[in-house]
Amino acid sequence: MVVSVPYMVVVIIFSLFLGKGMGSLLVALCVTSWTGLARLIRGQVIELKQSEYVMAARTLGTFSLKIILRHMIPNTMSVIIINTTFAIPSFIFSEAFLSFLGMGIQPPLTSWGAMAALGQQQMTYYPHELIFPALAISVTMLAFNLLGDGLRDAFDPKLRK
């Protein structure tokens, strides 16, 4: 049900009830973003439940909690870390976009999106006020994407030889 509602609608609703700002933005992003990770973890756990070492531990009479702590959580941590590094750029972009529209972080606080919105108004005389925040957003998003790609390559057991 949460996946069916676009996150922008959720952000607008939270902005109406909680007011504009960092708090409502964080709540809205947390409410809408956990579903993707939950689906990935669910698939990983279903796959791990059918692996030989989990079946062997279950056959030997190991308690479910011990199987979860020893096998499930360590083997799903790589998926969590990789998904988090790939989700950070989308959070940065969402915050910048919402701040650009005026629904995100409000003055006196600032963000790259709010700086880009102010830079857009002054673009004819001061183009650097738009270029530098946009460049900072782009470089940061690229850095986190490259970090996530590197972590995925490092954690993928199929690539180890």
Side-chain angles (χ1 to χ4, degrees):
M1 195 162 136
V2 174
V3 177
S4 65
V5 180
Y7 83 94
M8 270 306 198
V9 174
V10 174
V11 169
I12 291 169
I13 290 170
F14 278 104
S15 292
L16 290 174
F17 288 115
L18 300 176
K20 296 178 184 176
M22 176 97 61
S24 63
L25 184 65
L26 286 174
V27 169
L29 288 174
C30 289
V31 165
T32 58
S33 67
W34 67 271
T35 56
L37 179 61
R39 287 175 50 196
L40 282 173
I41 296 302
R42 180 181 181 275
Q44 187 76 18
V45 167
I46 288 172
E47 181 181 329
L48 288 173
K49 276 176 43 177
Q50 298 172 352
S51 63
E52 288 97 13
Y53 55 90
V54 172
M55 286 184 192
R58 194 174 298 133
T59 303
L60 291 172
T62 308
F63 293 110
S64 296
L65 182 62
K66 191 170 183 180
I67 292 173
I68 290 170
L69 293 175
R70 285 248 172 127
H71 299 293
M72 298 294 188
I73 291 177
N75 286 313
T76 57
M77 285 306 291
S78 64
V79 174
I80 293 170
I81 292 169
I82 292 166
N83 187 16
T84 302
T85 57
F86 280 127
I88 288 172
S90 67
F91 292 152
I92 291 171
F93 183 74
S94 297
E95 183 278 324
F97 177 69
L98 291 168
S99 294
F100 183 81
L101 294 178
M103 293 190 309
I105 297 174
Q106 299 296 310
L109 301 174
T110 189
S111 72
W112 287 331
M115 291 169 65
L118 291 173
Q120 182 197 19
Q121 297 169 0
Q122 305 292 329
M123 194 170 88
T124 55
Y125 298 110
Y126 306 108
H128 64 278
E129 288 187 9
L130 175 63
I131 292 170
F132 288 136
L135 190 62
I137 292 168
S138 301
V139 167
T140 305
M141 289 175 62
L142 178 66
F144 275 107
N145 276 326
L146 291 175
L147 176 67
D149 194 33
L151 287 174
R152 185 188 64 210
D153 291 346
F155 284 131
D156 193 1
K158 295 174 187 167
L159 296 176
R160 295 181 192 165
K161 291 184 181 184

